[in-house]
Amino acid sequence: MTDPVRPAGDQAPGRTREAITRRAFAKRVAGLAGLGAAASYLAFAPEDWPLSMADATGLRSQPSVELKRLGDYRVPKPDGAFDLGVGRDVDTALRLRKALDAIGGLAHYVQPGEIVLVKPNVAFDRSPILGATSNPEIVEALVRALLVDARAAEVRVADNPIESPADCFAKSGIAAAVERAGGRVYLPDSNAFHELYTPGAVLIEQWSCFYRPLRSVDKVIGVAPVKDHNLCGASMGLKNWYGLLGGRRNQFHQDIHEIVSDLSLMMRPTLSIVDGGHILTRNGPTGGDPSDVREGQAVAVGVDPVAVDAWCYENLLERGRDYPRYLFMAEDKGSGRVDPAGRVKEIA
Amino acid sequence: MSRDRQARSSRMRRVFRLANMRLLSQIFFFALFLLACWASWTTRLGGYPVSRFLELDPLVLLATALSTGYVYRALGWGLLVFAVTLIFGRVFCNWICPYGSLHHFVGWLFSILPRKERWEANRYRKLFTLKYGLLAALLLMACFGVLQIGLLDPICLMYRSVILAVAPSSDRLFASMGIDGAALDFLRFAPGSASRVFIASFGVGAILLGFLALNLYIPRFFCRVLCPLGALLGTSSRFALFRIHRNLQRCTDCNLCLSHCEGAADPQGVLRLSECFACMNCLDDCPEDALSFRILGQDYEEVRAGTDVGRRRLVFSGILGAVAVPLLRTQGVNTDENYSPLLIRPPGSVEESDFLGKCIKCDQCVGVCPTNVLQGATFAEGGLEALWTPVMNFHLGHCQLKCTLCSEVCPTGAIRRITVEEKLGVGAFEEQGPVRLGTAFYDLGRCLPHAMEIPCVVCEEVCPTSPKAIQTHDEEIMDAFGQIVVLRKPFIVPDLCIGCGLCEKECPVTDRRAVYVTPVGESRSTGRRLLLSNRVTSE
């Protein structure tokens, strides 16, 4: 492109000076002009022109979050069935079957080929007998029933525990139970969360949610234990959905009844199962002493999660009809009806 | 026919030559090392000896034996490397050591020097005696109970670099790729958890990259100049049975053997037995076939057996080490009078001065911790002496009741091996009570119910002891807006608190927590006792 020439009459004969040809000069100018024009287009072209990067008002570059919304996973109960089924038996799988039969059978609620999310309470790194986590026997029985009886295509089991997720799932016995039954455990890594939009919710209208296991599910079933809870009285089916929240969720204890009733808006489950196998009667929700735990030998299943909790509070935790305030708030938000009277069918 | 066979056998000899065997060995041991790190996650641990590389390290063996007077658990394995060295020389450095292999690989990948300059880069330098001085200083310090070999021991360095810098960085990379599901879980060091955070990551990562970059200035800079383990093996490799032998009749003094000499051991002249890594490259580079690796090659007169340090320098290094001991200790981090409130040790840790005589800063415990609470310390927690030793950071995690993983992988017994029963103080350990890491305290001015009339008590909810060490006084008040509020004001029952830190981790006052744990009351030290008598265990 350029070649060194020695100009005549230069003072230092050893020096050379770069000279440029006309052609090379023209090419260089044209190249620079092209680059300049392209850059100017990107920077200054009106915002609706293709490839324009202009943001004259600053509005275009404002951060925007894509919000997910959870579906409504409820299924109407069969005609003549009760809202609530209670099964009583020493054998966990049998009492679950009895309770499900009382509300019309599992096959009515889950169709063959569907993807089902089961949400147990695996919040703590505790042995199952301490009652701080869901009973692995009932999780196993449910996953097996979903896969075998209802012929679901896939059963996912997920929770976002307070302690190390892998350890909580392992030591609560849930991971092994799910594996035996043929389901799949979803652990929350930092990539598994998404912002969720819940219209009508007071505290979590927009909040981070453990979303990966919820992607493309057809049905959602909660499986919670019955636990004493120091702040809100009792932790049962509604409080269980807390385990899907991400972010700094511990702020919500400043208004615990509001958040639990908000959770009933966020998640409209197909079924709410609350198991009274190991009832944590005091020192909750963590427990830690087997003497805090009472064997209930009963399980409640229902299409109305509010009524399920109310029934368990009264009959399993045995605390009378002075229900926790969040149940009435959930009723006000349209998530169900508190009073279980006349809506329960018990099979012993 | 016979020419055919000759050709085949010479090809076989080329394929199975020692340098290729060495490469295979390096790949094998490097893969084994990565496997050990990979298998150190809570879901993958199955009783495998994930700390074996540390237990094979003869410098760890010697230094901890000097500082404690004992050989803990599997540390005797280090003798195996000594034995191998006495037979084959410093093969550990170039056939086994994963840190050496890493430097070898980086040096090979970026070796852009023309041949003549490479000869100069691979010549022996006086600077290489520095490692013997460092070794002398570090061992002398160990005699006084100050164990600092972990700063430079290559196996400790390698574990620490992978655990604190490489593993979290690569996990973060995979997380940011945004692939859903468990598809990439087998590539992650800590699958199924949020991205881990390590307060010492940057420093450790920068040191790793810095040492790697120094290979461009002097090949194998770390191994030749600084490595105290290499120095230790160098002092025994002089007695090795096998060594490089130069046939003086064949040698034409062409210097080609310097081209890829890893140890800078002067194979072209008087071989330095203490420096030779037995990398076997010189055998391949010799066009005259004058070099061979054989039993008792050249006579002692024709090689340089000893190191080049000189007695005066060695004594000088020793004095430096001896002076460093009181200097470090005057900082006072390990005395009960002025200990740092940030220095909270993992469960099973021995008493602090004993701990500092045992911890080799390998950070294996940090790697296996499932909650991210264990951290390699920075200067902030315990000064230079405790740099990179394990401390607990309750902003990032908490100590899980039924977990004793850190105590199981500790190769030196700085964290004594304990069972869950001992940790919780049940069964045979009922009398002795649980292992306490410290005690929780309230910053009442920041606590929502105490200072701001706002209900909260997450701390009480999560407190995992039974009965709870955090309890509440209930109080009905009229708040600033005229509303009647029932406040549950939390307080600590110190007799029950084990210092697990779950309250601090879950406290919603996130920048400076309203409830926090400090090490006072930790059960490993009587000098840091808080309560005169425990109202729970001593009836």
Side-chain angles (χ1 to χ4, degrees), chain B residues 167-180:
Chain B
S169 306
S170 82
D171 280 5
R172 202 167 276 269
L173 195 69
F174 285 126
S176 68
M177 281 158 70
I179 296 168
D180 270 7

Side-chain angles (χ1 to χ4, degrees), chain A residues 245-287:
Chain A
L245 298 179
R248 291 303 301 190
R249 55 183 178 178
N250 46 18
Q251 289 172 4
F252 295 133
H253 283 63
Q254 293 162 36
D255 202 348
I256 191 81
H257 295 286
E258 192 75 72
I259 185 65
V260 178
S261 56
D262 269 1
L263 289 170
S264 71
L265 278 178
M266 179 187 94
M267 176 55 77
R268 307 283 201 187
T270 315
L271 293 173
S272 178
I273 304 179
V274 178
D275 175 50
H278 308 293
I279 303 167
L280 183 62
T281 55
R282 57 178 173 271
N283 214 18
T286 50

Side-chain angles (χ1 to χ4, degrees), chain A:
Chain A
M1 195 155 106
T2 60
D3 43 6
V5 292
R6 181 172 299 158
D10 195 295
Q11 293 288 310
R15 274 184 58 201
T16 57
R17 191 160 56 87
E18 297 281 313
I20 190 164
T21 62
R22 188 177 297 129
R23 183 178 295 270
F25 176 75
K27 272 186 185 169
R28 203 177 285 178
V29 167
L32 281 174
L35 270 178
S40 309
Y41 176 85
L42 290 177
F44 298 116
E47 293 178 14
D48 47 347
W49 290 18
L51 294 180
S52 163
M53 292 166 73
D55 181 21
T57 55
L59 292 174
R60 254 180 112 189
S61 58
Q62 272 191 348
S64 70
V65 185
E66 185 207 349
L67 298 175
K68 303 278 184 189
R69 263 190 84 164
L70 291 188
D72 187 343
Y73 303 103
R74 287 177 293 191
V75 173
K77 60 180 176 172
D79 290 337
F82 286 80
D83 283 346
L84 237 76
V86 173
R88 291 188 188 271
D89 201 300
V90 185
D91 184 89
T92 314
L94 270 179
R95 72 167 173 261
L96 176 66
R97 179 171 301 256
K98 286 176 182 173
L100 286 168
D101 285 345
I103 56 165
L106 190 59
H108 171 79
Y109 296 96
V110 177
Q111 304 306 313
E114 289 188 326
I115 300 175
V116 183
L117 172 68
V118 171
K119 162 67 178 75
N121 184 333
V122 198
F124 299 101
D125 175 15
R126 293 280 200 207
S127 302
I129 53 155
L130 294 175
T133 50
S134 289
N135 184 352
E137 291 172 24
I138 200 147
V139 175
E140 183 176 353
L142 176 66
V143 173
R144 191 160 280 150
L146 283 167
L147 287 169
V148 177
D149 303 345
R151 289 189 286 141
E154 184 188 344
V155 177
R156 302 170 179 176
V157 180
D159 193 15
N160 179 23
I162 289 174
E163 305 196 72
S164 156
D167 283 9
C168 288
F169 268 92
K171 289 184 206 158
S172 64
I174 305 272
V178 173
E179 195 166 313
R180 276 197 301 275
R184 187 181 148 196
V185 169
Y186 277 64
L187 294 180
D189 56 53
S190 37
N191 211 19
F193 291 83
H194 209 288
E195 290 292 307
L196 198 70
Y197 172 56
T198 305
V202 177
L203 299 174
I204 50 168
E205 189 173 29
Q206 183 185 329
W207 195 262
S208 167
C209 165
F210 181 20
Y211 188 75
R212 185 186 291 159
L214 282 158
R215 185 160 287 167
S216 70
V217 293
D218 301 300
K219 299 288 156 61
V220 177
I221 300 176
V223 192
V226 181
K227 302 201 282 181
D228 165 57
H229 194 281
N230 59 345
L231 197 56
C232 63
S235 165
M236 294 168 293
L238 288 185
K239 176 74 171 60
N240 182 30
W241 301 115
Y242 202 83
L244 289 179
L245 298 179
R248 291 303 301 190
R249 55 183 178 178
N250 46 18
Q251 289 172 4
F252 295 133
H253 283 63
Q254 293 162 36
D255 202 348
I256 191 81
H257 295 286
E258 192 75 72
I259 185 65
V260 178
S261 56
D262 269 1
L263 289 170
S264 71
L265 278 178
M266 179 187 94
M267 176 55 77
R268 307 283 201 187
T270 315
L271 293 173
S272 178
I273 304 179
V274 178
D275 175 50
H278 308 293
I279 303 167
L280 183 62
T281 55
R282 57 178 173 271
N283 214 18
T286 50
D289 189 337
S291 69
D292 297 337
V293 177
R294 188 165 50 77
E295 304 298 312
Q297 297 177 2
V299 63
V301 180
V303 292
D304 179 347
V306 183
V308 170
D309 277 13
W311 187 88
C312 292
Y313 188 80
E314 186 181 340
N315 297 286
L316 295 180
L317 208 53
E318 296 174 351
R319 297 218 175 146
R321 298 175 64 89
D322 188 13
Y323 303 127
R325 192 153 59 87
Y326 63 75
L327 288 182
F328 298 103
M329 295 172 75
E331 183 176 283
D332 290 346
K333 290 181 181 178
S335 305
R337 211 146 53 74
V338 175
D339 191 6
R343 301 158 65 198
V344 187
K345 182 180 180 189
E346 280 197 42
I347 303 183

